Amino acid sequence: MPDAVTRSELLSHQRDTIADARPRTTAAVPFLLDEIDTRLADGGLDGAALHETAPASPSLNDEAATTLFTAGIAARLAATAGSRVLWVVSRFDLYAPGLEQAGLPPGHIIFAEGREDRDVLALMEDGLRQGGLAAVIGEVRRADMTASRRLQLAADAGRTPAFLSRRWRKQGVCPLSELSAATTRWRLSCAPSGKLPAPGVGRARWIVELVRQRNGNPFSLLVEACDDTGRLALPAGAQHRAAPAVRATARAA
């Protein structure tokens, strides 16, 4: 007789079978920047998967860069899908005018607030399974492998991209050090803006690091921050450089 299997093993096998059989109809979400899209395994972000972001440091500048990076992606998704974005937080510190400058006006966002990380994750999962949103974004300090796996399954079931922003909770420990089922993991930091011919502040610049991607390689790129359509740009004359070299330049400046 065949070996007995547990109920959880049977359910896991059934989920995998269904996932393999389901046609992948959700198109990849491109950045519309060749220097990024050509380095992504799918030519863009999987539109039915979990993606993670985190600031390179606990500074307010890097946290803001991470938020605006995610907002830019969500802005392009909302414009294309014609639907709204669910943004779930545990502390309401989002700056609406900043999100609008990245192409995501308040009318395109449904805000929700959870008391604890587990509440944020549960609200995200419900929003993903609903299937009628352009994207679901959540901000947490901690999410274990099980939580990220649940979000990945919910994103696949609802054909909706999920973006989990991991905040710093311990000095010297990168939030992306925790194991995750995310398809891509991004780290953001600020870099000095370009000089202007007249006194003033130029367009913000970020160091965008793809720390890990499924079926692809990591990379680092210096970019100009999102414009009012959510699009990134490459600084004039900039060339791709490895992350350590870019960080060294930023520190020197």
Side-chain angles (χ1 to χ4, degrees), residues 20 36 52-53 55 73 80 93 104 116 126 137 186 190 194 210 230 234 242 251:
D20 290 341
I36 294 181
E52 290 185 348
T53 60
I73 299 171
T80 302
D93 57 356
L104 195 62
E116 305 288 345
D126 287 345
I137 303 168
W186 303 81
C190 291
L210 180 57
L234 197 66
R251 284 196 296 269

Side-chain angles (χ1 to χ4, degrees), residues 27-53:
V29 182
F31 281 86
L32 305 177
L33 186 64
D34 287 344
E35 288 76 10
I36 294 181
D37 291 335
T38 55
R39 292 182 170 95
L40 292 173
D42 297 320
L45 298 175
D46 189 334
L50 170 65
H51 308 277
E52 290 185 348
T53 60

Side-chain angles (χ1 to χ4, degrees), residues 112-138:
E113 187 171 5
R115 184 182 298 273
E116 305 288 345
D117 283 347
R118 63 175 178 270
D119 301 321
V120 173
L121 295 167
L123 287 168
M124 288 183 67
E125 188 174 337
D126 287 345
L128 289 166
R129 293 191 182 279
Q130 191 269 342
L133 296 164
V136 173
I137 303 168

Side-chain angles (χ1 to χ4, degrees), residues 11 18-19 25 37 72 81 132 153 185-186 207 246:
L11 289 174
I18 293 171
T25 58
D37 291 335
L153 290 172
R185 310 187 83 184
W186 303 81
I207 300 168
V246 177

Side-chain angles (χ1 to χ4, degrees), residues 158-231:
R159 320 310 293 165
T160 303
F163 298 91
L164 186 66
S165 179
R166 290 180 177 263
R167 292 178 178 265
W168 280 72
R169 62 185 179 83
K170 185 183 296 186
Q171 189 71 26
V173 179
C174 176
L176 298 182
S177 61
E178 290 187 297
L179 295 177
S180 173
T183 300
T184 64
R185 310 187 83 184
W186 303 81
R187 185 160 51 213
L188 277 291
S189 58
C190 291
S193 60
K195 292 183 178 180
L196 297 177
V201 179
R203 184 173 174 179
R205 290 181 175 180
W206 303 331
I207 300 168
V208 175
E209 296 178 72
L210 180 57
V211 177
R212 183 178 70 83
Q213 66 167 317
R214 190 172 299 165
N215 301 322
N217 297 319
F219 64 84
S220 171
L221 197 67
L222 176 67
V223 300
E224 292 189 338
C226 298
D227 62 14
D228 59 2
T229 66
R231 293 186 60 170

Side-chain angles (χ1 to χ4, degrees), residues 8 10-20 149 153:
S8 61
L10 179 60
L11 289 174
S12 177
H13 174 70
Q14 288 177 333
R15 280 195 298 265
D16 291 341
T17 301
I18 293 171
D20 290 341
R149 178 62 176 161
L153 290 172

